[in-house]
Amino acid sequence: MNGAGRLPAAARAIATGDRRALARTISGIENGDPAVVPVVRALYPRTGRATVVGLTGPLGVGKSSVLNVLVAHLREAGRTVGVVAVDPSSPFSGGSVLGDRIRFERAAEDTGVYFRSMASRGEEGGIAAATRQVVRLLDAAGFEVVLVETVGSGQVDLAIRDVATTRVVVLVPHLGDEVQTLKAGLFEIADVFCVNKSDLPGADLARKDLAELVSLGGARHGWSPRIVLTSALARTGVPELWEAVEAHEKFLDASGARAEEDRRRLAREIVGIVRDRVGRDAMARLEKDPELRRLLDRVASRQLDPYAAADRLYAQRARRARQR
Amino acid sequence: MNGAGRLPAAARAIATGDRRALARTISGIENGDPAVVPVVRALYPRTGRATVVGLTGPLGVGKSSVLNVLVAHLREAGRTVGVVAVDPSSPFSGGSVLGDRIRFERAAEDTGVYFRSMASRGEEGGIAAATRQVVRLLDAAGFEVVLVETVGSGQVDLAIRDVATTRVVVLVPHLGDEVQTLKAGLFEIADVFCVNKSDLPGADLARKDLAELVSLGGARHGWSPRIVLTSALARTGVPELWEAVEAHEKFLDASGARAEEDRRRLAREIVGIVRDRVGRDAMARLEKDPELRRLLDRVASRQLDPYAAADRLYAQRARRARQR
């Protein structure tokens, strides 16, 4: 392990609570600045301590409101909290637009909480990787709880699976037919279901429906997802929500699942880095190597199919490695 | 190119219009059955002829309704139409649930149209690959137009980018703040904007907003996205929607962009196949190879960071290739 003295300056600053260094490094991650990679790497030994809670769910269920009351609850209990909100991005501003101002105003008055929005721009897998790095920074900065809020869409849900130790899926009563099917997709990742807006009619029915889904799905690796009713408006159910998260965290420790899941997440990350590098190499060669350009010509003219071309690209890669 | 006589039986049947062979092969693609790979590959020389139109947009904008009136319009004009609706899946039924029955009933009476829902289960990129194969089958089966309908979420939108020649983004007036930002994300892939439910107040304002976005974004490779107002309920605007699609298709031919985009899509597909294979290899080795298991142990105990582990896995791969 590195002593603090041997860390890069930015890493040392982040580890000792410097919020501006933290903000700058997160911006670097968002922008894909290679200068931040050594900072994140240097802080890696200081990670793995935070409780990382993912909040996801369809648009309009009030995830941000749940998050806000949850942060208030945790601050009252004396816990420090880092928040990453992963928002869809604007291609023009390049930044996030939702609710940042209000959050930042509050954050300015309380050093025990840190809010940050991340733009979810870019390529497949890019947002998952960036979110993972930001969570690591918050973990290394010493926040006891890190909350990650995302919209419930395919790509971004993968980010939740790959970073959170406990995943909370937020829903509302009367989801409607289309969202019912989304709920099923989100089911696979939920450790806790939060039925928000439970002051609306139908909350008990929603709980019953979910309980049925849970019983059909069976306990996953020994954990049966909890169901909690909240109303962010009325501020009810929030202590119960946090209790459910803590129950899952205790289960992770007692069952040995924490170490196993951490290992699995890290394996996926390492393999992902290798895959991305191989993919970038392959794309560059396909654009530049005359032999491979002719291969692509033949695929474009439907003389050769893409699987056959992939076989040759794969074989050429192995051949080049042998010749090195 | 294969003559029809040398095709596998299922491929020959699909190419000559056998709907049951088509349905069985699509089910095979959904289920990841390796037996369908030779069928799809054999049909590859017969692809690249259909106009492939992607319809995407947030939940609740009426994509399915737009799709239905568009199909009716195309059938009246004598065009044959294949439809793939990519739906979120239920983890229990493993299948799609939305509107299939009604569609199949209509399809049974008209052999010039074929409807099929696909479950969007499974891994990152999996749905994009499966959708691509199904579109190829419909193309090879001779459908002049292939429509692909998806929910507007990150992962699935990639499917649209990777298969459609023209991408239609469906929206409604008064999207609300949250969906406004989604719209911006969808902006990057739109060739045509369809403002549906244009009988609602605010349709002209929505058109004006979009026109402003379009003018800010500038023409992309020489094409400036068209904006069309429809009402699937009142059945207005549908001929105009199809005209906008055809204008974009003509642009693709006139500008040479069609060949260029086809080539780019194929390059991404080939590289994707190589990446996935390398990823699967790497994951298998990480689980089985004792040296790599120790490497993962050191990452899990925070002695080594994931980038350093990826470097070693990458180097070991090259070394193994050299020793072969």
Side-chain angles (χ1 to χ4, degrees), chain A residues 17-89:
Chain A
D18 182 334
R19 294 285 184 267
R20 292 178 66 184
L22 178 63
R24 267 198 308 272
T25 307
I26 293 176
S27 297
I29 292 169
E30 272 193 310
N31 299 327
D33 179 357
V36 300
V37 174
V39 179
V40 178
R41 290 182 65 170
L43 287 169
Y44 181 70
R46 296 165 179 272
T47 64
R49 292 174 299 189
T51 297
V52 184
V53 181
L55 272 103
T56 190
L59 285 170
V61 298
K63 284 181 298 296
S64 300
S65 308
V66 171
L67 185 134
N68 274 297
V69 291
L70 188 56
V71 169
H73 175 73
L74 290 166
R75 292 301 299 136
E76 279 160 27
R79 314 286 296 266
T80 58
V81 188
V83 180
V84 196
V86 184
D87 289 340
S89 74

Side-chain angles (χ1 to χ4, degrees), chain A residues 93-232:
Chain A
S93 73
S96 303
V97 296
L98 306 177
D100 265 352
R101 214 174 341 144
I102 295 161
R103 292 173 178 179
F104 277 120
E105 277 166 17
R106 190 165 79 184
E109 294 163 12
D110 175 5
T111 57
V113 62
Y114 182 84
F115 276 97
R116 175 70 185 226
S117 285
M118 295 248 309
S120 80
R121 109 195 53 161
E123 280 307 291
E124 189 179 357
I127 185 64
T131 305
R132 185 192 287 125
Q133 305 306 351
V134 173
V135 168
R136 283 210 175 119
L137 290 183
L138 295 172
D139 187 351
F143 290 102
E144 295 164 300
V145 179
V146 176
L147 300 177
V148 185
E149 178 202 356
T150 71
V151 296
S153 78
Q155 197 192 353
V156 174
D157 287 337
L158 290 173
I160 288 288
R161 188 194 65 178
D162 282 354
V163 302
T165 52
T166 296
R167 280 85 52 111
V168 177
V169 171
V170 184
L171 300 166
V172 288
H174 292 301
L175 292 165
D177 276 353
E178 274 194 291
V179 183
Q180 285 290 351
T181 62
L182 260 190
K183 185 176 69 176
L186 290 170
F187 184 84
E188 296 171 57
I189 63 160
D191 300 309
V192 176
F193 283 105
C194 168
V195 181
N196 192 37
K197 304 190 185 180
S198 64
D199 44 314
L200 295 179
D204 282 320
L205 192 63
R207 186 216 290 265
K208 226 184 106 205
D209 280 356
L210 282 169
E212 205 174 298
L213 269 176
V214 165
S215 70
L216 278 168
R220 201 178 43 214
H221 314 300
W223 173 258
S224 184
R226 294 268 187 114
I227 303 160
V228 181
L229 268 56
T230 60
S231 166

Side-chain angles (χ1 to χ4, degrees), chain B:
Chain B
M1 299 248 186
N2 283 316
R6 289 185 298 164
L7 292 175
R12 197 165 54 237
I14 289 167
T16 54
D18 182 334
R19 295 284 185 269
R20 293 177 66 184
L22 179 63
R24 267 196 309 271
T25 308
I26 294 176
S27 298
I29 292 169
E30 271 192 311
N31 299 327
D33 179 358
V36 300
V37 175
V39 179
V40 179
R41 290 182 64 171
L43 288 169
Y44 180 69
R46 296 163 178 273
T47 64
R49 294 174 298 188
T51 297
V52 184
V53 181
L55 272 104
T56 191
L59 284 169
V61 297
K63 284 182 300 294
S64 300
S65 308
V66 170
L67 185 133
N68 274 296
V69 291
L70 188 55
V71 169
H73 176 72
L74 289 166
R75 292 301 299 135
E76 278 160 28
R79 314 285 297 267
T80 57
V81 189
V83 179
V84 197
V86 184
D87 291 339
S89 75
S90 152
F92 304 119
S93 73
S96 302
V97 295
L98 306 177
D100 265 350
R101 215 173 340 143
I102 295 161
R103 291 174 179 177
F104 277 119
E105 276 166 19
R106 191 166 78 185
E109 294 162 13
D110 175 4
T111 58
V113 61
Y114 181 84
F115 276 97
R116 176 69 185 226
S117 286
M118 296 247 311
S120 82
R121 106 195 56 159
E123 280 305 292
E124 190 179 354
I127 185 64
T131 305
R132 184 192 288 125
Q133 305 306 351
V134 173
V135 168
R136 281 205 178 125
L137 290 184
L138 295 172
D139 187 351
F143 290 103
E144 294 165 301
V145 179
V146 176
L147 301 177
V148 185
E149 178 203 356
T150 71
V151 296
S153 79
Q155 197 193 355
V156 174
D157 287 337
L158 290 172
I160 287 288
R161 188 193 65 177
D162 282 354
V163 302
T165 53
T166 296
R167 281 83 52 110
V168 177
V169 171
V170 184
L171 301 166
V172 288
H174 291 302
L175 292 164
D177 278 353
E178 273 194 289
V179 182
Q180 285 290 350
T181 60
L182 261 189
K183 185 176 69 175
L186 291 169
F187 185 84
E188 295 171 59
I189 64 161
D191 300 309
V192 176
F193 283 106
C194 168
V195 180
N196 192 37
K197 304 189 184 180
S198 64
D199 44 313
L200 295 179
D204 282 320
L205 193 63
R207 186 216 292 263
K208 224 182 109 204
D209 281 356
L210 281 169
E212 205 174 297
L213 269 177
V214 166
S215 70
L216 278 169
R220 200 178 44 211
H221 315 301
W223 173 257
S224 185
R226 295 267 186 113
I227 304 159
V228 179
L229 267 57
T230 59
S231 166
L233 196 69
R235 300 212 165 200
T236 61
V238 179
E240 291 77 11
L241 174 59
W242 186 247
E243 273 168 31
V245 170
E246 289 203 311
H248 181 252
E249 291 285 323
K250 276 182 197 132
F251 160 81
L252 289 176
D253 288 320
S255 65
R258 185 185 300 280
E260 197 188 307
E261 288 188 10
D262 186 49
R263 212 182 144 89
R264 194 155 36 217
R265 278 193 295 265
L266 290 168
R268 271 201 297 266
E269 177 177 1
I270 295 165
V271 167
I273 297 169
V274 172
R275 280 181 75 209
D276 287 349
R277 191 188 297 183
V278 169
R280 275 194 307 272
D281 285 1
M283 190 57 89
R285 285 193 292 133
L286 209 50
E287 280 164 3
K288 284 172 200 158
D289 181 322
E291 184 187 332
L292 292 177
R293 287 187 64 85
R294 281 193 297 274
L295 189 73
L296 185 54
D297 289 340
R298 294 182 59 209
V299 177
S301 63
R302 267 62 182 174
Q303 293 170 284
L304 190 73
D305 75 76
Y307 289 92
D311 284 346
R312 296 191 196 182
L313 188 59
Y314 189 83
Q316 199 218 40
R317 194 184 128 71
R319 206 163 64 233
R320 281 162 48 100
R322 276 198 298 275
Q323 288 163 353
R324 235 175 268 154

